Amino acid sequence: MRVSPYVAIVIGSKNMLMKVYEISAAKGIRTIDEIRYEYELGKEAYFTRKITFAQIEEICSVLEQFQQRMKEYDVTEFHCYATSAIRNAKNQVSVLNQIKVRTGIDVIMLSNSELRFLMYKGIQVLKLDFNKIIEKNTAILDIGSGSVQISLFDKQVLYMTQNLDIGTAKVREFSESVGNNVLDYISVLEEYIQYEVDMFKSGYLKDKDIKNVIAIGDEIKNINRLVPELHLEDTMSYEQIQYIYKKIKKASYQDIAIKYGLSMEDARMVLPSVLVYKTFLERSKADTIYICSTNLCDGSVVDYAQKMKKIKVSHDFYQDIIASARYIGKRYRYSKIHAQYIAELALEIFDKTKRFHGLTQRDRLILEISAILHDIGKYVNLNDPGKNGYQLIMSTEIMGLSHREREEIANIVLYNTQELPDTDELETAFWREEYLRIAKLSSILRLANALDRGHKQKFENCSMMRKGQELIITLETNQDITLEITRFSKKAELFSEFTGITPVLKQRRAL
């Protein structure tokens, strides 16, 4: 039985964490070591938006110690991530470069949606019956230093995710700014959090009741340590949250740190975290929190093991990304039937010509999401759907995708209706690097979209067959498809330019 060692490292806002895992097909994932280094990177970084030279030195020194420990375990496979403190820093590029030069480590800079998706994947290392829980309306509450992510599930399907600007570090900064100016700053703090949660409820929950709340991350683990007398294991009730709130609301963070063995930084985060949980339970009408102390390292090992096909997981994460895109489409009143129709056609074109376009499975996902969202710009204005769709996509997070991938999708949607610029018109290095991929995917989307130009789904069956340098698309229908044929011929030229394949449209009468 082969066992694979793996290490995940996170450069966080409050600490640096390294976890060593063993992965095997028989026993799954097992944690064999954990090293945590406490510091205060987040507070100064969020305030100044800059990582100092001294902080970079400290990070590099700790990473070198982590590397020494990895040698002891003979680990060759690892990933190192940076989170919001570095992501939001103005000198982010310089920081990552200095870490690379000093340690040789390429740090992965996660976008918020990527980070939350990995956190959510980390649930798979626990014994929690996740698929059973999300059969009913369930919210995953991920409290971070910079923000709070709320992801909603129903009938085992993710239907939306939203980011709230009330992370523990930001709430703490707010509380410190008002603490010396008001007599009851806790009430002000509670009002501040309630406003954000109420805005989320009115915009996304409305009258929908949440049955379960899954709390993930370090904050729920720290809160659990405050009440050994409650003997909490897997769940926490609203009454117990109230009990914790009353217990700590007048305690100083110094007292909390000493009494419960927390670091000063963790102790400062306890009250903001409790207030977020308390407020969310009150507003969502849920009465139970599932305690799930998974972290980004756990998500990393699940992601790695899954991609390397070392383990099988029961939950379909791919469909969560697609479901998140469909929710965005629904929010902007897309035509669900047309979007699904175009997505299926586009994916079949992609699959039939993959030997020629040279794109990856990840590009296939980007194409599917682009097809789902290609018409959402009509929600704003019917006259300029591509440009409006671009703006909507760029202002909306999509679960599991990086900012760069979201930008690719936005441009594929834009150039579904607008002419693709020539390469000499491009202004940025990003465009020079990504131009060809976006051009290929947008040409596939254009071709698929032409086959349902009237949004009437005219054909009963569509078959595709590649023959030499031609892609033969045969539509089985008795309806008039003059409009589709006309549009198809115009879109076929661009597709041929970027794939070397000539699309040919044929009609076969249905029996």
Side-chain angles (χ1 to χ4, degrees):
M1 179 179 66
R2 184 177 177 183
V3 177
S4 302
Y6 175 79
V7 161
I9 299 170
V10 176
I11 306 171
S13 303
K14 299 186 299 179
N15 56 57
M16 291 177 64
L17 175 65
M18 182 179 89
K19 293 185 75 170
V20 185
Y21 301 90
E22 284 184 347
I23 308 168
S24 69
K27 295 184 178 180
I29 297 169
R30 186 169 72 94
T31 304
I32 59 174
D33 199 1
E34 178 176 327
I35 307 168
R36 190 181 298 263
Y37 177 82
E38 304 289 345
Y39 63 175
E40 285 197 30
L41 180 66
K43 183 179 179 182
E44 185 173 346
Y46 286 125
F47 181 72
T48 65
R49 293 197 62 202
K50 190 173 183 179
I51 309 297
T52 66
F53 179 74
Q55 290 172 323
I56 296 170
E57 285 287 302
E58 186 177 17
I59 290 169
C60 290
S61 176
V62 175
L63 287 175
E64 287 167 350
Q65 295 174 44
F66 285 173
Q67 287 175 309
Q68 195 60 41
R69 183 62 66 93
M70 282 194 286
K71 288 180 182 177
E72 296 172 13
Y73 284 105
D74 196 26
V75 172
T76 57
E77 297 295 323
F78 74 97
H79 289 96
C80 179
Y81 304 93
T83 59
S84 56
I86 294 180
R87 182 175 68 237
N88 295 328
K90 296 177 182 177
N91 61 335
Q92 172 200 135
V93 174
S94 175
V95 172
L96 298 182
N97 177 256
Q98 290 183 61
I99 292 173
K100 169 68 175 176
V101 171
R102 275 278 304 271
T103 68
I105 293 176
D106 284 307
V107 178
I108 301 169
M109 187 70 262
L110 294 172
S111 68
N112 179 68
S113 56
E114 289 176 298
L115 186 153
R116 305 301 185 170
F117 194 56
L118 283 180
M119 287 286 289
Y120 154 54
K121 275 192 171 186
I123 295 173
Q124 299 297 319
V125 304
L126 305 175
K127 295 179 180 179
L128 194 69
D129 192 350
F130 180 66
N131 286 336
K132 179 68 176 176
I133 293 171
I134 62 173
E135 286 178 356
K136 298 179 180 179
N137 286 341
T138 299
I140 294 183
L141 211 56
D142 178 6
I143 300 179
S145 296
S147 61
V148 173
Q149 193 81 14
I150 303 175
S151 302
L152 300 180
F153 290 79
D154 186 25
K155 298 176 183 176
Q156 295 191 335
V157 175
L158 172 75
Y159 65 88
M160 68 83 55
T161 184
Q162 186 63 32
N163 192 251
L164 306 187
D165 197 26
I166 48 172
T168 50
K170 292 190 176 181
V171 172
R172 189 186 109 199
E173 182 184 333
F174 172 79
S175 66
E176 289 176 351
S177 69
V178 302
N180 297 324
N181 301 319
V182 296
L183 294 175
D184 188 4
Y185 86 96
I186 291 181
S187 295
V188 177
L189 190 62
E190 195 163 6
E191 182 181 352
Y192 171 68
I193 292 172
Q194 285 173 351
Y195 171 77
E196 294 289 339
V197 175
D198 284 342
M199 290 294 291
F200 169 79
K201 181 182 178 183
S202 64
Y204 299 96
L205 278 184
K206 301 188 185 302
D207 297 325
K208 187 182 288 290
D209 289 342
I210 298 297
K211 301 299 182 183
N212 304 309
V213 174
I214 300 175
I216 63 177
D218 288 338
E219 305 306 336
I220 192 67
K221 180 174 65 177
N222 291 332
I223 290 171
N224 197 4
R225 291 170 63 180
L226 304 180
V227 283
E229 67 272 20
L230 295 181
H231 305 290
L232 299 173
E233 292 184 3
D234 299 326
T235 63
M236 185 184 300
S237 68
Y238 174 69
E239 289 73 22
Q240 289 168 330
I241 284 285
Q242 283 277 52
Y243 172 82
I244 297 169
Y245 172 63
K246 291 176 182 177
K247 183 176 181 179
I248 67 166
K249 70 177 182 178
K250 293 183 179 179
S252 69
Y253 63 80
Q254 292 92 340
D255 290 340
I256 292 173
I258 293 169
K259 188 172 182 178
Y260 301 105
L262 297 177
S263 69
M264 286 294 187
E265 186 66 11
D266 282 340
R268 287 187 179 100
M269 304 302 183
V270 165
L271 181 60
S273 300
V274 170
L275 279 173
V276 170
Y277 290 127
K278 173 177 171 290
T279 304
F280 188 81
L281 287 179
E282 288 170 348
R283 297 308 196 259
S284 68
K285 300 181 181 178
D287 58 5
T288 302
I289 292 178
Y290 286 86
I291 301 169
C292 185
S293 56
T294 184
N295 54 41
L296 184 54
C297 287
D298 296 333
S300 173
V301 69
V302 171
D303 187 64
Y304 167 78
Q306 188 181 24
K307 287 178 179 176
M308 301 303 292
K309 298 182 179 179
K310 295 179 181 291
I311 63 166
K312 291 183 179 179
V313 296
S314 58
H315 191 74
D316 191 341
F317 294 105
Y318 183 98
Q319 287 305 317
D320 285 332
I321 299 174
I322 298 301
S324 180
R326 286 178 181 149
Y327 174 81
I328 295 168
K330 182 179 178 181
R331 186 167 181 80
Y332 295 118
R333 299 180 185 176
Y334 78 146
S335 170
K336 181 179 179 181
I337 295 175
H338 172 70
Q340 186 61 34
Y341 202 64
I342 297 307
E344 290 173 1
L345 289 169
L347 293 180
E348 189 166 1
I349 294 170
F350 182 99
D351 293 340
K352 286 289 193 295
T353 58
K354 60 184 177 183
R355 179 182 154 196
F356 293 86
H357 56 58
L359 299 170
T360 66
Q361 282 299 107
R362 188 68 178 183
D363 296 324
R364 190 180 190 274
L365 171 65
I366 298 301
L367 174 63
E368 185 171 2
I369 296 172
S370 301
I372 291 169
L373 301 179
H374 78 278
D375 258 356
I376 63 172
K378 291 179 179 177
Y379 175 81
V380 178
N381 191 315
L382 293 174
N383 295 326
D384 204 351
K387 186 176 180 180
N388 294 326
Y390 176 94
Q391 296 294 340
L392 290 175
I393 292 167
M394 289 306 297
S395 61
T396 308
E397 282 195 344
I398 303 174
M399 173 72 102
L401 300 186
S402 67
H403 176 84
R404 196 164 188 141
E405 288 173 323
R406 183 153 46 98
E407 191 169 1
E408 287 182 12
I409 291 167
N411 279 290
I412 292 165
V413 169
L414 173 65
Y415 295 117
N416 176 53
T417 58
Q418 292 190 17
E419 290 300 316
L420 200 69
D422 293 330
T423 52
D424 59 2
E425 296 177 34
L426 305 178
E427 297 178 356
T428 66
F430 167 79
W431 272 110
R432 295 187 187 96
E433 182 183 340
E434 310 296 342
Y435 177 85
L436 193 57
R437 179 161 65 249
I438 292 170
K440 289 178 180 180
L441 292 173
S442 63
S443 71
I444 293 173
L445 178 58
R446 282 181 172 214
L447 199 65
N449 203 17
L451 295 175
D452 192 34
R453 186 65 183 86
H455 290 218
K456 293 181 178 180
Q457 297 82 52
K458 293 179 181 179
F459 48 89
E460 298 173 18
N461 187 37
C462 174
S463 62
M464 298 186 194
M465 180 181 68
R466 189 177 55 78
K467 188 175 181 180
Q469 298 297 112
E470 292 183 336
L471 177 66
I472 311 298
I473 302 175
T474 305
L475 306 182
E476 186 176 314
T477 179
N478 291 326
Q479 297 188 50
D480 182 357
I481 60 169
T482 303
L483 176 61
E484 283 71 24
I485 292 173
T486 303
R487 299 298 298 177
F488 183 87
S489 61
K490 291 183 179 180
K491 306 301 181 185
E493 185 178 339
L494 184 67
F495 180 82
S496 299
E497 180 182 343
F498 288 106
T499 63
I501 296 290
T502 302
V504 177
L505 186 62
K506 295 184 177 181
Q507 180 178 3
R508 183 169 59 214
R509 295 291 177 180
L511 298 177

